[in-house]
Every structure is written in structure tokens, then in C-alpha cells.
Amino acid sequence: MTEAATRRTPGTPCWTSLMVHSLAATQDFYRALFDWEFTPGPQQLGAYVRAVRDGVPVAGLGELPPERQLPVSWMTYLASPDADETAEMIRACGGTVAVGPLDADEAGRMLIAADPEGAVFGVWQEEEHAALRESGAPGTPVWHELTARDSGAVAKFYQMVFGYEPDGTRSASSSEPGEPGRRTLHLAGRPVCAIRSVGQALPRDRGAHWMTHFAVRDVDEAVRRVAELGGRVVEPPSDRATGRAALVTDREGAAFTVVRAAGV
């Protein structure tokens, strides 16, 4: 398969990464939970490793400088054919660019930005990892969802910047029964991510944020394992319209969702 054939469609979630205070302890947590192995990654932002599952890179972990005592969270990266052009669009559409664009070794070019509601996300102009795909296998990211105050307003921002199709922003009340306020965004007729509107229920300590969903074989067992490893259960396992899932955090408080892997 050629690089051209495997490159992500612009706007598709293509990577997820986490900057933490203790890289070694965080590696231990996710190694035990998801059976990840680790290889060195780009060092532009400090110590950074790639998490690998069955020989395929699935996520990135980096270490914050000691003086930066910031809350930690998983960050979703959206694919772009030109990170510099996307940075200009982000600014023109009411967002902000905090880091970059900058080169990440041989892997490509990236930037970190925030949408008009303040949700932080990354943009990746991929080179080396053009063949990376979310397979749906246990231990891999399978879905990305933005929690925002007003899904309609922020959806317009992402439509303008990344070209999501207008018919992909219908309210869930008409296309996804049981999940009002949830808008699924589409590219080339395929669902790629979603925006969930929660209004005033938006957590004050987090604000608008992107959430990474990781596949597991058994959600209940994964939740028990998270607790054993020093993480926290925020929302216990429940059966949702999209399947069984739970919201948890790792040892440093980074939130993520575990969902039942497809076909298991």
C-alpha cells in the first residue's frame, strides 16, 4: 500500500498523546492496562515515547518540564495536508494556536491549538506514520469526542477549518436516538468523530475538552484494573447507545473512556 493511499483524510483523528509529570510511572500504568510497549519518539517537546501495540504505534506519551505543574489530559490530533495553512484557518475562524507549527523529526509537522470554546487539540501533517490506522483492536484508540457547551456553534468552527460535511452535524435527536445534543461529524460520508453538547453541565474544572476512547476486551475488568493500578473510576461501566463504556482516569488524573472492542 502506498503512502498516498494510506494518508489520512484531512480532519480525521490521526493521533492521540498525553503529556505527564512522571513518564516512567505513566508508562507502567498503561503497559499494565493496555499491554503497550514503548519506543523513542520526537524530542522537540522534551522526553517523548510512542506506545506500540502488536508492532503498531497507537499513542504518544511525553514528560512535562518539572516547573510546569499543569493538569494532564489526552489530546486528539486531527490530520492536515498542510499544518501551516491549517494554523491560518484556525486563527481566521476564531481559534488560537499555542504551539507551532513545528517539525517533529521525520514524523511530520504539528501544532497545538484551541477552538473558540477553549478545547485544546492538535494538528498533524503526517509523514512517517501515514499508514497508522485505528484498527478497533483492544488497547487502541477507536473514537474521539468533543464535550462542549454548545455543539452547534463549535461544530461550525471545525466545519470551516477541516471541511466536515454539513449533513454530518445533524442533532442526535434526529440521527442518534437516545443521545440528544450529540452531533457526529463526517468526512467522505464516514463518521470520524463527534461533538456532545452539555450546556451548563460542562465540568468547571475541565471546560470544553476532547476525549479519547480506547478499546478493551472487557470494560468491567478494565475498570477494576484501573483502580488496582492507582487510577480512578469517574463513571462506572454502563450500556450506552454506542456500546458498554466507562469513564476513568490514570494515576495523574488524565481522563479517558474505555469501550468494548468491536467483535469481542
Side-chain angles (χ1 to χ4, degrees), residues 242-261:
T242 52
R244 192 159 182 79
L247 176 62
V248 298
T249 73
D250 63 20
R251 292 171 179 168
E252 291 199 12
F256 59 98
T257 297
V258 289
V259 299
R260 185 180 180 186

Side-chain angles (χ1 to χ4, degrees), residues 20 37 39 70 81 87 108-109 126 152-153 157 166 176 197 207 209 247 255 264:
V20 299
E37 298 177 347
T39 61
L70 302 173
R109 194 160 171 79
E126 55 188 351
F157 166 82
E176 298 172 65
S197 178
H209 59 277
L247 176 62
V264 301

Side-chain angles (χ1 to χ4, degrees), residues 81-254:
D82 188 325
D84 295 83
E85 183 176 298
T86 300
E88 294 180 9
M89 282 294 296
I90 288 170
R91 296 187 184 101
C93 295
T96 58
V97 177
V99 176
L102 55 83
D103 292 328
D105 290 347
E106 74 287 352
R109 194 160 171 79
M110 55 81 70
L111 64 88
I112 297 174
D115 66 28
E117 282 207 14
V120 177
F121 64 97
V123 172
W124 196 278
Q125 179 184 330
E126 55 188 351
E127 295 294 340
E128 183 184 71
H129 295 293
L132 174 63
R133 288 293 175 270
E134 291 172 357
S135 66
T140 67
V142 291
W143 187 246
H144 299 263
E145 191 161 298
L146 171 63
T147 298
R149 183 170 287 104
D150 183 349
S151 63
V154 78
K156 293 179 182 178
F157 166 82
Y158 288 99
Q159 274 183 262
M160 293 173 68
V161 175
F162 295 105
Y164 296 119
E165 296 161 4
D167 64 350
T169 60
R170 295 188 300 267
S171 169
S173 60
S174 62
S175 60
E176 298 172 65
E179 294 192 44
R182 185 172 182 273
R183 296 167 179 258
T184 300
L185 304 182
H186 295 71
L187 289 169
R190 184 175 67 89
V192 294
C193 56
I195 302 176
R196 186 164 61 96
S197 178
V198 296
Q200 296 305 311
L202 189 69
R204 291 186 179 182
D205 60 337
R206 298 197 64 197
H209 59 277
W210 280 89
M211 175 70 64
T212 301
H213 295 59
F214 292 99
V216 294
R217 293 188 182 279
D218 185 320
V219 172
D220 297 77
E221 177 58 31
V223 166
R224 286 192 291 270
R225 191 71 176 130
V226 165
E228 291 172 357
L229 293 169
R232 186 168 65 91
V233 180
V234 180
E235 296 177 5
S238 63
D239 294 318
R240 309 176 186 179
T242 52
R244 192 159 182 79
L247 176 62
V248 298
T249 73
D250 63 20
R251 292 171 179 168
E252 291 199 12

Side-chain angles (χ1 to χ4, degrees), residues 21-67:
H21 301 291
S22 175
L23 182 56
T26 301
Q27 286 179 263
D28 289 343
F29 177 89
Y30 288 102
R31 182 185 291 111
L33 181 63
F34 292 140
D35 197 27
W36 284 352
E37 298 177 347
F38 298 93
T39 61
Q43 304 297 302
Q44 277 82 354
L45 300 179
Y48 188 88
V49 297
R50 295 189 182 104
V52 177
R53 175 72 190 250
D54 295 329
V56 178
V58 295
L61 298 177
E63 189 164 65
L64 292 164
E67 67 275 10

